[in-house]
Amino acid sequence: MSELLGRRAPASRTRRTAPPAWAVLAAVCAGQFLVVLDVSVVNVALPSMRTALRLSDSGQQWVVNAYALTFAGFLLLGGRAADLFGRKRTFLVGLGLFTAASLAGGLAQDSWMLISARAVQGLGAAVLAPTTLSILTTSFPEGSERTRAIGTWTAVGAGGGAAGGLVGGLLTDYLSWRWVLLVNVPVGALVLVGAALCLTESRADRARRLDIPGAVLVTAGVAGLAYGIAQSESHGWTSTRSLLPVIAGAVLLAAFTLVEARTAAPLMPLRLFRVRSVSAANTVLLGCGAATFGTWYFLSLYMQNVLHYSPVRAGVSFLPHTVAIIIGSKLAPRLMGRVDARLVGAAGGALSAVGLAWQSTLTVHGGFAGTILGPGVVTMFGAGLLMTPIAAAATSGVAMSEQGIVSGLLNTSRQLGGALGLTILATAAADRASTRGEHGADAAHALTAGYGLAFLIAAGFLAVGTALIALLPNPTPKPA
């Protein structure tokens, strides 16, 4: 009987009707929206969180970084789990963990509870995010159809990051900072039900084995590097409190590379780096992530700490950024069908770098049009043009059985660059503000000088990332 059931099960699955393409796209985009939203939604709420839970300056930064670091560290594990254990199943597990951690964070009564919940949220997001792109790339054939789907996925994800300020501001001002996390609970439950109904299962045809040691090593290594950089803000770059974590992180990442080279089922098969599209796209994203991740963080602090915007006003001020990045993301696939996709990405990167350089000229009496609207729209429109060509290049020419791990690697590069970039930018901003304060500047002028330096360094990161686009192969989609 068991053999009979075993033979019938595959036939039963093959008779199932494939879900509509729009339903698949809606489900994965909803999951991606939640993941990216929670990178930025807490930014506007940070001052309120600090007051309510007595967060220190470093604690305030770790509310952001706890999410970002576990997200970056476990993305490769999440991508491999999707390939081996089933993309639908992994999507549901990641979303369920993310939703439960959001509930815990919203009910937190102390700073450690909030930071711990954010770390678990990041773990859930790390399982969920690469699965969304993996489902997308295995559901749509390579070419113009997949490129359009990736453009929509990019637009929704980028819109989630930009909309985080608005959502966070409205919830913080009219309800409580807790609702920037609690809002994920009903939304996550709704997406869970929809995904369970409309997604079908798919997985790679290979033994189910995960590289847990590799996941632990890469996560600990990234955390060590970021912690050491963060410690340099208060103890200096030559302090043992800064150097030891950085050295430990570098050693752990070197050990991760050795483990991946020798294990039979590596978390990150090193041979993938010999695929030009994969290695080049991830190199570009590492630099670009370092530049763009901190944009909303510093701009939110500037609006509230220097211009004295309310959380709602700060959130509404991000609305044009959201529109700009969505327009750029939706325009990119159309342009990629007409010109070399590398030119589209390079144009987007150049625009974003110009926008960040413009943003660095902010002053203590900055007006909305010249300080928030103008540079923000230029930066975000450019970012929208930039991301779709990179995502299309990274996933082209890769076997279906490895789409999950490549998607995880792509997200890892972006988040790793972003998390480390934020610590570098925050340290530079704090050093500049402290120096200006020692020379007699008041708090507003000192903070503004620090934020301006952070944006200028970010522009430099983005310029380097944009120059590296020349390494990409041309991912121009095939004719439909």
Side-chain angles (χ1 to χ4, degrees):
M1 177 65 72
S2 60
E3 292 178 358
L4 181 60
L5 291 174
R7 287 195 300 268
R8 286 182 178 175
S12 174
R13 284 193 297 268
T14 59
R15 287 196 299 266
R16 292 187 61 183
T17 302
W22 66 264
V24 174
L25 187 59
V28 298
C29 285
Q32 180 70 359
F33 181 84
L34 282 176
V35 167
V36 180
L37 180 74
D38 262 61
V39 175
S40 61
V41 72
V42 300
N43 288 344
V44 174
L46 284 175
S48 298
M49 290 177 174
R50 178 173 184 170
T51 300
L53 300 181
R54 298 184 180 88
L55 287 169
S56 63
D57 288 340
S58 62
Q60 184 176 242
Q61 184 178 333
W62 277 101
V63 170
V64 177
N65 266 348
Y67 180 89
L69 290 176
T70 53
F71 187 16
F74 284 97
L75 275 165
L76 294 180
L77 184 62
R80 178 58 82 195
D83 285 337
L84 301 186
F85 293 105
R87 297 178 177 95
K88 175 180 178 179
R89 180 181 302 171
T90 306
F91 181 95
L92 296 177
V93 169
L95 182 56
L97 184 60
F98 178 88
T99 303
S102 297
L103 177 62
L107 299 178
Q109 299 299 311
D110 206 341
S111 58
W112 70 267
M113 295 175 65
L114 175 61
I115 293 172
S116 298
R118 288 284 289 169
V120 178
Q121 250 192 326
L123 176 59
V127 175
L128 180 60
T131 310
T132 65
L133 185 55
S134 178
I135 291 173
L136 202 69
T137 55
T138 54
S139 299
F140 292 85
E142 188 172 343
S144 59
E145 187 177 354
R146 182 188 293 182
T147 302
R148 288 194 298 269
I150 290 176
T152 300
W153 177 85
T154 302
V156 171
L166 175 59
V167 173
L170 291 172
L171 292 174
T172 301
D173 232 27
Y174 290 108
L175 293 174
S176 162
W177 66 264
R178 297 184 181 278
W179 279 97
V180 303
L181 299 172
L182 292 176
V183 71
N184 292 328
V185 178
V187 177
L190 184 62
V191 177
L192 270 171
V193 173
L197 293 175
C198 74
L199 295 182
T200 56
E201 192 59 276
S202 65
R203 65 170 64 91
D205 185 18
R206 61 177 63 184
R208 300 185 186 184
R209 181 179 175 185
L210 282 176
D211 178 20
I212 301 299
V216 172
L217 286 171
V218 71
T219 302
V222 171
L225 286 176
Y227 181 76
I229 294 171
Q231 286 292 93
S232 68
E233 178 180 338
S234 54
H235 300 288
W237 289 100
T238 58
S239 167
T240 55
R241 294 189 181 186
S242 303
L243 284 177
L244 288 181
V246 169
I247 293 172
V251 170
L252 288 169
L253 291 177
F256 167 73
T257 303
L258 293 176
V259 167
E260 299 309 282
R262 297 182 179 184
T263 187
L267 178 69
M268 178 66 255
L270 299 182
R271 59 180 170 74
L272 285 177
F273 287 103
R274 293 196 292 270
V275 179
R276 182 182 170 194
S277 59
V278 174
S279 58
N282 281 277
T283 302
V284 172
L285 270 186
L286 193 68
C288 294
T292 58
F293 189 83
T295 299
W296 294 304
Y297 177 81
F298 288 106
L299 197 55
S300 177
L301 293 179
Y302 167 71
M303 286 190 286
Q304 293 185 80
N305 293 338
V306 177
L307 300 184
H308 305 295
Y309 282 17
S310 67
V312 169
R313 186 180 179 186
V316 171
S317 297
F318 282 121
L319 189 57
H321 300 58
T322 306
V323 175
I325 200 166
I326 290 174
I327 292 174
S329 298
K330 295 299 290 182
L331 180 61
R334 296 178 180 273
L335 295 176
M336 289 168 64
R338 294 174 171 82
V339 299
D340 189 326
R342 291 168 295 186
L343 294 179
V344 178
L351 278 174
S352 284
V354 169
L356 287 170
W358 182 3
Q359 194 77 74
S360 72
T361 63
L362 47 80
T363 67
V364 292
H365 302 297
F368 175 76
T371 305
I372 308 298
L373 179 64
V377 167
V378 171
T379 300
M380 292 301 119
F381 178 74
L385 290 177
L386 172 65
M387 292 305 173
T388 300
I390 296 174
T395 56
S396 65
V398 176
M400 289 296 180
S401 62
E402 293 180 329
Q403 287 290 331
I405 191 61
V406 171
S407 300
L409 180 60
L410 191 68
N411 279 281
T412 298
S413 296
R414 181 167 55 190
Q415 295 302 322
L416 176 59
L420 296 180
L422 177 59
T423 56
I424 293 171
L425 297 178
T427 300
D431 285 345
R432 173 62 64 88
S434 176
T435 301
R436 290 296 176 89
E438 290 173 357
H439 286 81
D442 59 30
H445 283 85
L447 287 173
T448 301
Y451 300 150
L453 178 61
F455 284 119
L456 190 60
I457 295 174
F461 284 154
L462 195 55
V464 172
T466 300
L468 294 175
I469 290 176
L471 299 175
L472 289 171
N474 183 12
T476 300
K478 303 170 187 176

